[in-house]
Amino acid sequence: MRNEKSTEEVALGVRRRVFEHAMRNNGGYLSQACSAAEQLAWLYNEALTLGAPTLPMIPGPFAGVPSADNPGYHTGAGYNGPAAPHLDRLFIAPAHYALVAYATLVEVGRMAPEGLAMFNRDGSSVEMIGAEHSPGMEVHNGTLGIGLSTAAGLAYGRRRRGETGRTWVFMSDGEVQEGQTWEAVQACAFHGLEVRAIMDVNAQQCDGAMSSVMEVGDIRQKFIAFGAACVEVDGHDLAAIRQAAAERHDGKPLIILARTNPFHAMSILEERFPRLHYVRFTSEEERARFNLAIAEDLDIDPIDYAD
Amino acid sequence: MVEMVSRPYARAFEAFAAGNPDILCLSADLTSSCEIDGFRDRHPDQFVSLGMAEQNMMSFAGGLGLAGFRPFLHTFGVFMYRRPYDQLIASIAYPRRKVRLMGFLPGVTTPGGMTHQAIEDIAVMRSIPNMTILETGDATEVESICAAADSVDGPVWCRVLRGSVPRLFDTPIRLGEMRVLAAGTDVLVVTSGICTEEAMRARAALAKAGVSIRHLHLHTIKPFDAAALLDHIGSVKHGVVTLENHVTEGGVGSLVAETMADAGIGKRLIRLGLKDSFAHGGSRPYLMRYYGLDALALVRGIADLTGAAFDITEEDLAAARVDEVHSLVKAEAL
């Protein structure tokens, strides 16, 4: 199930949905939609081989945490289809991108729009920081830097079982400040694990521009030095992303560095630089002004958020 | 004289794991120190070296669990939770992965000092939802811990003894049960791990002094049979003394205290172990004496509880085992 829309259309739809959500809720993870929409759209619409969703289009409410007393527990991975040997798996390593990931599920027909309306509502499984029971999630990644290691372990196990499906990770550049990321890359290289990752290199983190918080240097050279294949592309250029994904990486992980603009397609966001991690409008005037400007960028009518 | 068993884990793990396609042996650069070097050499296909990178090892193991494997992680216990605690929670405990955390050198069984001594691990693990906790007190328990741990539908924290280990019991670990080693009526003594051997040494001298000891040994610390413990507490006159190779906060002493408080038991409890203190490096008998974890400390505790003054000296206790700290087998003792 794929390709009802072009990937460009999916990416635009993701931005429109995140924008609408942010306007109605007086803020949200707008900048992550600016930077990552093409990457997530490309993963779901082109790159991943996934089966049909196994969970209801409208997500059920929160149904408890894993415990011996909760035998009906399941993760949100069913929105990516079943776990089958020939199918791909995806981890959204920075779970703070959940809103953008959920919007992508809606755009590619894996979740109903009603699911997005449940975002961050009490009692909902569509949590603000993607939990493992949230749509499209299979593990908790709210603690940054553990996604690639999880993917490495899964890939090791799948290779051992002779499974042909690939293991993908969507990452963020802030994660390279965590030591575990480098432990994971060296383990992938040492064990010849061909894990695939695409990293949103938007150069932003919670405190602001990464260069002002903790300089990370030339991360492409660092990944290569740690034993990965690493390609750097314009993260808004789908043709370049496609070409990067075709890079040979025999016996190595492949890290695609998608250099992105944190204001892409919502240029007025630059006013809020360098605090882009979670944009909450500071006044009604600002909210209205952003509504008009972003709606024009996205070629839609302003959101009537009063209702 | 107690039988000493050499490297029981090495044989037991190999016998249990070799050829089981769903079990993988993970190591973090302490392969011979955790007695899995022979397994590595004879079963390289089931051995995964992850280097000195415990954070990755935890999440990697979580990923293996997702793929249906049951990884056995091997390193010193202290390295398995202090640094990678976040990963232990997010990648293993929360999703109930069937990961078996084989933590070697529990408490003061290492001369390595503070950085090597897991002294608060049980307190940490008891507070983690979904976690099962096992602790070995003799060679038979070391030999049976792989099967016991692997029977659990979820993660398991194991305190494993290595090297030369005494054989005190002749039956394997039966998950969730407790061993009743003596059924006296004056004082209940609850011990775990290496402290059980100490209590067994003290019992004979105490019996001569006219104190009737009821002695429980815990190999399963979580889950815990509170009703069974309460029955035993109801069978003694004075109260309870606990002795553990761990801080007295959050471990077996706390477990007993909580059980008594929950049930409204009005008897006294004396908790022996590391008293809100880190330890330093030294031989095991020295450390157990210095920090009050040995048979003599237990005798003092029972004197305190009963109000009796015992004329029991070190010479009256069954001979202590004195292991050589440094040996040809493990030159560095690490």
Side-chain angles (χ1 to χ4, degrees):
Chain A
M1 53 169 293
R2 59 164 75 180
N3 293 341
E4 288 174 19
K5 299 176 184 172
S6 73
T7 301
E8 288 83 353
E9 287 170 331
V10 172
L12 178 60
V14 166
R15 290 196 179 101
R16 286 173 173 170
R17 288 185 188 280
V18 171
F19 164 61
E20 178 181 349
H21 189 275
M23 291 318 303
R24 292 195 189 286
N25 293 277
N26 195 34
Y29 297 95
L30 278 170
S31 181
Q32 287 82 352
C34 294
S35 59
E38 279 83 9
Q39 295 162 67
L40 287 164
W42 171 76
L43 282 166
Y44 273 102
N45 207 49
E46 297 185 25
L48 299 175
T49 303
L50 303 175
T54 60
L55 292 168
M57 288 295 280
I58 297 177
F62 171 65
V65 297
S67 87
D69 303 324
N70 189 11
Y73 174 84
H74 60 79
T75 74
Y79 287 91
N80 294 346
H86 65 290
L87 295 176
D88 293 345
R89 303 278 270 276
L90 170 68
F91 297 104
I92 306 290
H96 304 66
Y97 281 74
L99 180 62
V100 191
Y102 301 147
T104 311
L105 289 177
V106 175
E107 281 297 310
V108 297
R110 291 182 170 273
M111 183 172 76
E114 289 87 337
L116 206 57
M118 298 172 175
F119 179 82
N120 199 24
R121 300 263 186 253
D122 283 349
S124 160
S125 60
V126 189
E127 297 201 14
M128 181 179 79
I129 306 294
E132 66 167 54
H133 50 260
S134 297
M137 309 296 168
E138 189 163 13
V139 297
H140 268 98
N141 280 317
T143 167
L144 297 172
I146 70 175
L148 188 60
S149 295
T150 308
L154 178 65
Y156 187 100
R158 297 188 77 186
R159 182 179 70 184
R160 206 175 159 81
R161 295 207 187 285
E163 298 190 6
T164 54
R166 298 170 300 172
T167 303
W168 272 95
V169 194
F170 171 74
M171 299 179 73
S172 61
D173 53 353
E175 290 182 85
V176 306
Q177 291 176 353
E178 292 281 6
Q180 186 179 1
T181 296
W182 303 102
E183 293 185 359
V185 175
Q186 73 184 7
C188 286
F190 182 66
H191 290 290
L193 300 172
E194 296 173 357
V195 173
R196 292 159 172 84
I198 184 163
M199 175 181 286
D200 182 20
V201 185
N202 62 4
Q204 308 303 310
Q205 60 186 118
C206 191
D207 266 5
M210 284 178 65
S211 58
S212 71
V213 181
M214 179 55 69
E215 184 59 70
V216 297
D218 185 341
I219 58 176
R220 179 170 173 270
Q221 287 304 325
K222 285 160 88 170
F223 278 121
I224 290 169
F226 272 72
C230 187
V231 185
E232 196 161 5
V233 298
D234 175 349
H236 303 297
D237 180 346
L238 287 166
I241 293 174
R242 289 180 192 114
Q243 193 178 351
E247 180 86 3
R248 290 284 300 265
H249 58 108
D250 301 346
K252 292 179 172 188
L254 172 65
I255 316 275
I256 301 170
L257 300 179
R259 290 265 172 206
T260 58
N261 172 355
F263 331 116
H264 187 82
M266 302 188 198
S267 52
I268 195 171
L269 271 185
E270 190 164 4
E271 285 185 20
R272 296 294 296 268
F273 182 82
R275 296 302 300 272
L276 294 165
H277 176 72
Y278 187 97
V279 175
R280 180 168 292 287
F281 302 120
T282 54
S283 68
E284 186 50 45
E285 181 275 329
E286 185 188 47
R287 188 179 182 180
R289 205 157 44 78
F290 273 55
N291 191 15
L292 289 175
I294 299 174
E296 188 177 349
D297 278 352
L298 298 178
D299 197 22
I300 52 175
D301 291 335
I303 305 301
D304 180 9
Y305 51 79
D307 56 1
Chain B
M1 190 62 196
V2 66
E3 175 200 359
M4 297 304 295
V5 183
S6 176
R7 290 165 59 92
Y9 187 80
R11 281 191 307 282
F13 178 73
E14 183 166 358
F16 183 78
N20 186 326
D22 293 331
I23 293 179
L24 293 173
C25 176
L26 274 56
S27 182
D29 189 39
L30 288 168
T31 300
S32 67
S33 296
C34 296
E35 299 184 355
I36 46 173
D37 45 340
F39 184 89
R40 172 197 61 199
D41 296 343
R42 287 183 287 275
H43 310 280
D45 184 51
Q46 274 180 273
F47 182 83
V48 186
S49 177
L50 286 168
M52 202 165 45
E54 293 82 6
Q55 300 175 57
N56 177 65
M57 179 164 74
M58 293 292 151
S59 301
F60 194 100
L64 287 172
L66 258 184
F69 289 91
R70 301 194 303 280
F72 279 62
L73 274 55
H74 297 84
T75 184
F76 295 163
V78 73
F79 300 145
M80 199 123 62
Y81 70 100
R82 281 191 185 158
R83 185 174 305 200
Y85 185 59
D86 183 33
Q87 291 82 1
L88 174 59
I89 294 285
S91 299
I92 294 175
Y94 181 94
R96 299 179 70 222
R97 299 275 182 258
K98 293 175 187 172
V99 173
R100 289 60 172 104
L101 301 148
M102 311 311 276
F104 285 74
L105 299 181
V108 300
T109 61
T110 165
M114 181 278 285
T115 56
H116 283 55
Q117 292 162 339
I119 60 166
E120 83 291 1
D121 56 313
I122 295 174
V124 171
M125 296 304 143
R126 280 189 64 223
S127 64
I128 300 177
N130 298 335
M131 189 62 74
T132 294
I133 307 169
L134 304 178
E135 177 167 20
T136 54
D138 89 322
T140 301
E141 292 189 344
V142 173
E143 288 163 356
S144 56
I145 198 165
C146 293
D150 205 36
S151 71
V152 175
D153 180 18
V156 187
W157 181 260
C158 300
R159 284 185 138 205
V160 186
L161 299 175
R162 72 166 201 202
S164 184
V165 184
R167 188 180 300 287
L168 308 177
F169 313 124
D170 54 12
T171 58
I173 292 174
R174 278 196 284 270
L175 202 78
E177 297 186 7
M178 54 185 70
R179 295 186 193 272
V180 183
L181 305 181
T185 56
D186 288 331
V187 175
L188 177 64
V189 172
V190 182
T191 60
S192 58
I194 58 169
C195 290
T196 293
E197 185 188 4
E198 295 299 313
M200 292 167 82
R201 290 173 51 213
R203 257 170 31 208
L206 287 161
K208 275 188 204 159
V211 186
S212 173
I213 300 290
R214 180 171 290 252
H215 184 193
L216 301 179
H217 166 75
L218 305 184
H219 49 63
T220 308
I221 295 171
K222 187 181 176 185
F224 182 69
D225 185 351
L229 177 67
L230 290 169
D231 279 349
H232 288 292
I233 295 173
S235 303
V236 297
K237 191 160 55 183
H238 292 288
V240 189
V241 181
T242 59
L243 178 63
E244 59 192 307
N245 177 25
H246 187 268
V247 291
T248 51
E249 294 74 28
V252 168
S254 289
L255 173 59
V256 172
E258 292 161 19
T259 305
M260 294 171 74
D262 285 346
I265 302 295
K267 288 179 175 159
R268 279 191 70 201
L269 166 66
I270 292 180
R271 292 176 291 142
L272 303 176
L274 286 163
K275 302 299 268 184
D276 195 23
S277 172
F278 290 106
H280 84 122
S283 76
R284 176 164 138 186
Y286 159 77
L287 291 172
M288 293 186 83
R289 171 62 47 84
Y290 188 87
Y291 289 105
L293 308 180
D294 64 355
L296 212 52
L298 181 64
V299 169
R300 286 196 301 271
I302 290 170
D304 180 3
L305 185 76
T306 58
F310 304 125
D311 188 22
I312 295 175
T313 64
E314 192 170 353
E315 290 70 41
D316 299 319
L317 299 166
R321 293 187 300 110
V322 181
D323 301 329
E324 287 186 43
V325 170
H326 299 283
S327 70
L328 293 174
V329 181
K330 285 304 297 177
E332 194 189 2
L334 293 178

